[in-house]
Amino acid sequence: TAIAITEQPVSVSVPVGYSFTLRCRAQGRTPLQYQWFCQYQSDCRPIPGATNQDLPIIAEQTQLYTCRVNDLHRNAVFSDWVKVEVHQCVARGLPPQLWQGEPVIVLNPSEQRVEVGQPLQLQCAAMGVPAPSYQWYRNGNLLEQQKRKKLLVSHAKVSDSGTYLCCASNRHGEHWSSAVDVHVGEQSQPTSLRCTSPGVRCKIALLVGNNRYQHHPNLVAPVRDVFELSRLLKHLGFQVVSLLD
């Protein structure tokens, strides 16, 4: 109770070479002293000269940081540990020139074909200050338990098939990953479109859902609409080809 931290440092996710500042603020009954520590792998050590409330950093490698605050009576508290995630390889043009810390997707998930019972993994990564939080969707529906940048289903079922995408968000806004198809089990092999009954008119539907626009916020509805229309048209006897973006 002698020392209270009033502003905790926050985790960030930034490109290599990016300059930023970690902040820690505290209140106490006597003048306070600050000391920052960093941890890389299993090595935790004080940062020489890092004895101010603010810690300027030029991002070089992913590390954990905390700040110790002590008073003249040898009371001491530590701030939360925060992660500085550094992306070593970022596509040209990312982040945008006037980047203010809004989420920017740097790794999109890729299409997956897995057998029933095998693990299903999808991965998304984004830069952001503060570090973005993640939320996964399948066929436009929120997946309540999938809130990490890596989606993991230990034992895939046929019902896990569908179109997946991930939303990365922080206080500055949100950014959506590319939508990808996941095929599980008997759906893992693409079927050919053919009309086998002589004299019967062949009904083929092409559905195109655009989710990513250059000058417009990304949308969720097209993914859900393509899924719902595809299911309806198949029920009506159509052979359906679905394309996204």
Side-chain angles (χ1 to χ4, degrees), residues 164-230:
Y164 287 74
L165 74 167
C166 182
C167 177
S169 62
N170 63 15
R171 66 171 179 256
H172 299 295
E174 62 184 30
H175 198 176
W176 293 82
S177 73
S178 300
V180 296
D181 291 328
V182 171
H183 309 272
V184 180
E186 59 262 37
Q187 298 185 20
S188 62
Q189 298 299 324
T191 56
S192 58
L193 296 174
R194 63 180 67 180
C195 295
T196 56
S197 302
V200 175
R201 193 172 188 179
C202 185
K203 298 190 295 182
I204 299 177
L206 171 64
L207 301 179
V208 180
N210 287 325
N211 181 64
R212 304 183 71 190
Y213 294 88
Q214 185 176 2
H215 300 295
H216 192 282
N218 292 336
L219 307 174
V220 180
V223 178
R224 183 170 58 245
D225 292 346
V226 166
F227 174 72
E228 295 294 342
L229 283 173
S230 175

Side-chain angles (χ1 to χ4, degrees), residues 8 17 64 105 113 125 135 169 171 181 194 225 234:
Q8 295 280 1
L64 298 175
I105 300 291
R113 297 177 181 272
Q135 178 61 65
S169 62
R171 66 171 179 256
D181 291 328
R194 63 180 67 180
D225 292 346
K234 287 178 181 178

Side-chain angles (χ1 to χ4, degrees), residues 16 40 45 58-65 84-86 88:
V16 64
Y40 177 67
R45 59 187 183 273
I58 299 177
E60 295 180 356
Q61 58 188 355
T62 297
Q63 295 187 122
L64 298 175
Y65 292 85
V84 174
E85 183 180 31
V86 179
Q88 299 291 340

